[in-house]
Amino acid sequence: MAKIPFSKLKITKDVLDKEDGQITFNDQTVIIKGYLPIAEKAQLLTDVLNNSVENEGYYNTLTMSKELALAIAQYYTNITFTKAQLDDKDKLYDLLVASGLMNKIIALMPDSEFAFLNRTLHEQADSIYKYRNSALGILEAA
């Protein structure tokens, strides 16, 4: 197979500017990003994992789903939340979901973005479990 230089493909950074979607919700325009750069995806997933671990060191899948939804609302949209709203994440999540806004946001995200986040989140949690239960993980915890 003949090799070709990447530069010959003439891929420019404007391919990252996927078209944003938008919805009108209660007379407000909500913009949903079409693509989130990998560094921001990594931070989003780190935030979700850090906020989903329970005291006993396991990941609560319900909390992971809640945290992922809230992170998507924060990273992918132009919606801002107050500190007080973020202090009661359960209530905030319930409001976003029960109002139908969260479903509309996810529906406008590219399927590949949502699938990547969801799959990678669970793979990372599984990797952490495997590491913690490995010989090296057990030795480090002792």
Side-chain angles (χ1 to χ4, degrees), residues 26-87:
N26 292 338
D27 298 324
Q28 298 297 312
T29 300
V30 178
I31 297 171
I32 297 97
K33 292 180 181 177
Y35 181 81
L36 193 68
I38 192 67
E40 291 180 50
K41 283 184 182 103
Q43 187 59 55
L44 180 155
L45 291 169
T46 298
D47 293 346
V48 171
L49 285 168
N50 288 339
N51 293 330
S52 299
V53 69
E54 302 287 333
N55 290 339
E56 298 81 23
Y58 73 93
Y59 291 97
N60 181 322
T61 55
L62 182 61
T63 303
M64 284 172 50
S65 294
K66 173 189 74 178
E67 291 292 335
L68 179 58
L70 294 174
I72 286 171
Q74 289 176 292
Y75 280 82
Y76 277 86
T77 74
N78 62 332
I79 301 171
T80 60
F81 301 103
T82 66
K83 183 181 179 328
Q85 290 166 328
L86 291 170
D87 285 343

Side-chain angles (χ1 to χ4, degrees), residues 99-142:
S99 69
L101 180 56
M102 197 68 237
N103 283 339
K104 290 179 185 225
I105 291 168
I106 291 172
L108 276 179
M109 287 177 66
D111 291 340
S112 59
E113 288 281 299
F114 184 74
F116 174 82
L117 292 172
N118 203 30
R119 182 185 70 250
T120 305
L121 176 64
H122 290 279
E123 287 173 355
Q124 285 183 326
D126 287 343
S127 292
I128 291 168
Y129 281 135
K130 287 176 185 171
Y131 174 76
R132 285 184 186 156
N133 291 323
S134 71
L136 182 56
I138 292 170
L139 286 174
E140 284 184 358

Side-chain angles (χ1 to χ4, degrees), residues 3-9:
K3 302 282 185 177
I4 59 169
F6 181 74
S7 59
K8 292 240 180 198
L9 297 175

Side-chain angles (χ1 to χ4, degrees), residues 7-22:
S7 59
K8 292 240 180 198
L9 297 175
K10 298 182 187 215
I11 298 173
T12 60
K13 69 178 186 173
D14 62 330
V15 298
L16 299 176
D17 298 329
K18 298 279 185 184
E19 186 173 325
D20 293 341
Q22 73 178 42

